[in-house]
Amino acid sequence: MDVQDSLIVDELKRDSTIGARLLVEKYQDWLYIWGKKQYESLSLQDLLEIIDDTFIRVIEKIALFQFRTEKGFKNWVFTIFSRLCIDRLRKEEKIADYMQIQSLDSEPTEN
């Protein structure tokens, strides 16, 4: 278990702003770099929003987290991040499909 991760978890569970600051400092760059590689079709704005949403979700759900493995917290953070990225991509795909259907429906017909 990473000492800093255990400190982050302890501080977050105490509802401490120090925990939130440590969380962001440790994981913001990692999530950004990994997200750019894994989910390159996301816009920069979407990626940054998802990173913010990841931190919010971690803070909201920290009471449910328990260390089970040495890399447990990091894996948990990255799992939340990945699921949010996939959800965003699915949403964008549905919107794109909808827009394509709408444009097909609105094309003028020849008489």
Side-chain angles (χ1 to χ4, degrees):
M1 172 173 49
D2 187 294
V3 173
Q4 190 171 1
D5 281 349
S6 64
L7 176 63
I8 292 169
V9 171
D10 289 345
E11 290 297 323
L12 288 174
K13 285 187 175 185
R14 283 189 226 145
D15 216 11
S16 164
T17 57
I18 294 169
R21 183 176 49 81
L22 292 173
L23 173 69
V24 171
E25 286 175 2
K26 180 167 185 180
Y27 287 104
Q28 185 172 26
D29 290 342
W30 285 4
L31 292 174
Y32 177 79
I33 292 166
W34 195 68
K36 288 288 283 182
K37 286 182 182 180
Q38 291 296 112
Y39 305 102
E40 57 189 34
S41 62
L42 286 172
S43 70
L44 176 61
Q45 180 181 349
D46 284 344
L47 184 59
L48 294 176
E49 285 177 13
I50 293 168
I51 291 170
D52 288 345
D53 291 345
T54 299
F55 294 140
I56 292 167
R57 183 80 51 94
V58 168
I59 292 166
E60 289 175 346
K61 302 293 183 183
I62 194 66
L64 302 174
F65 177 77
Q66 296 176 355
F67 278 109
R68 293 195 179 115
T69 66
E70 230 175 88
K71 297 181 181 180
F73 184 69
K74 179 180 178 180
N75 289 341
W76 188 61
V77 171
F78 275 79
T79 298
I80 291 169
F81 174 73
S82 293
R83 289 181 179 165
L84 290 171
C85 287
I86 291 167
D87 288 348
R88 180 71 57 98
L89 290 169
R90 285 182 183 148
K91 180 180 174 183
E92 287 178 2
E93 185 177 300
K94 286 180 183 177
I95 291 171
D97 288 347
Y98 175 77
M99 295 301 288
Q100 184 177 12
I101 290 168
Q102 289 299 322
S103 68
L104 291 174
D105 288 344
S106 63
E107 287 184 21
T109 58
E110 292 183 30
N111 290 329

